[in-house]
Amino acid sequence: MTKAAAGRPPRLHVDGAILGYKRALRTQNTHVSLIKIKGCDSKEDADFYLGKKVAYITKSQDGTFNVNWGKVCRRHGSNGVVRCRFRRNLPPQSIGNRVRIMLYPSNI
């Protein structure tokens, strides 16, 4: 470990990307968002993140940061994508943007 890494606090989040909403052929459910977690590539990896908190951070015009909190509710498929429910539904402009998946609450 380098000296710079030794003085840094531990990282408490993993980055993720918003893929879109849960959907069928003709309908979409905007209250459930699909998130691809960086470094999560299997069902077993996705199971670790169940129940973890998710933060979608935006910056307003006056310089303050707004955070929309959500939670990982279940996995989606077998490639490490998870379904998340947010307190306020994510706007369509957020598709393709980044979120932070917090590594708490811990269940290990």
Side-chain angles (χ1 to χ4, degrees):
M1 187 178 334
T2 64
K3 287 185 179 181
R8 229 180 309 164
R11 185 173 52 97
L12 295 177
H13 70 274
V14 176
D15 293 327
I18 301 171
L19 300 180
Y21 302 120
K22 182 186 137 189
R23 58 170 298 161
L25 185 62
R26 292 177 182 86
T27 60
Q28 68 180 9
N29 297 320
T30 56
H31 59 277
V32 179
S33 300
L34 302 178
I35 309 289
K36 174 64 177 158
I37 301 172
K38 184 177 180 181
C40 179
D41 296 323
S42 68
K43 289 181 182 179
E44 293 76 24
D45 293 344
D47 285 339
F48 171 78
Y49 292 100
L50 297 182
K52 300 287 192 274
K53 293 187 178 288
V54 182
Y56 174 63
I57 303 169
T58 55
K59 189 174 182 182
S60 61
Q61 291 182 345
D62 62 352
T64 60
F65 291 96
N66 300 325
V67 181
N68 188 2
W69 288 100
K71 187 187 284 190
V72 177
C73 56
R74 62 178 290 186
R75 64 177 187 240
H76 182 83
S78 60
N79 285 334
V81 176
V82 294
R83 298 182 194 178
C84 299
R85 290 180 183 264
F86 287 84
R87 293 207 178 132
R88 291 180 59 93
N89 293 347
L90 292 180
Q93 295 89 347
S94 68
I95 295 174
N97 288 349
R98 300 289 174 212
V99 292
R100 292 181 178 182
I101 295 93
M102 304 299 170
L103 295 177
Y104 54 84
S106 178
N107 53 10
I108 57 170

